[in-house]
Amino acid sequence: QVQLVESGGGLVQAGGSLRLSCAASGSIFSINNMGWYRQGPGKQRDLVARISRIGTTNYADSVKGRFTISRDNAKNTVHLQMNSLKPEDTALYYCNALVVSSDTYSSSQYWGQGTQVTVSS
């Protein structure tokens, strides 16, 4: 089994910054893509940013230039630095990882429990 634990959410004023972190633990051989998704009230869960094992990134158009995703392969962690936050960034943010199991060597997708980000105007 694999667990993803997020941290770093909170309440911030518009224009402020937050840094989200996610740590993966458990039966991990390797982790391919890691990413962050978000789900606002009454909305579907959408990709915010994703990073491959070798560091290739892609971002939602709405966050380009404001958010930066990074990862530490040795620590099985992924981070999301969010700057110039806007009220429309308010959502529950979920960590996601495509993990190769050290038990079976098969790949499975895992999600964290989510961390709330609220941006006040």
Side-chain angles (χ1 to χ4, degrees), residues 18-36:
L18 283 174
R19 179 178 170 86
L20 304 183
S21 295
C22 173
S25 61
S27 302
I28 299 171
F29 175 74
S30 66
I31 304 178
N32 296 322
N33 286 345
M34 301 186 81
W36 291 93

Side-chain angles (χ1 to χ4, degrees), residues 35-102:
W36 291 93
Y37 289 71
R38 67 186 181 187
Q39 187 167 16
K43 297 182 179 180
Q44 66 181 21
R45 189 177 299 187
D46 292 324
L47 175 70
V48 176
R50 180 167 52 211
I51 184 168
S52 73
R53 183 167 181 80
I54 62 171
T56 303
T57 59
N58 61 290
Y59 295 91
D61 287 343
S62 60
V63 306
K64 283 180 181 177
R66 300 188 297 123
F67 291 10
T68 303
I69 190 169
S70 61
R71 66 186 284 176
D72 185 330
N73 291 334
K75 297 181 179 179
N76 291 330
T77 56
V78 63
H79 308 280
L80 186 67
Q81 179 65 42
M82 305 185 295
N83 299 328
S84 302
L85 282 160
K86 305 175 181 180
E88 50 264 43
D89 294 318
T90 294
L92 192 58
Y93 283 69
Y94 294 92
C95 177
N96 173 268
L98 184 60
V99 178
V100 178
S101 168
S102 58

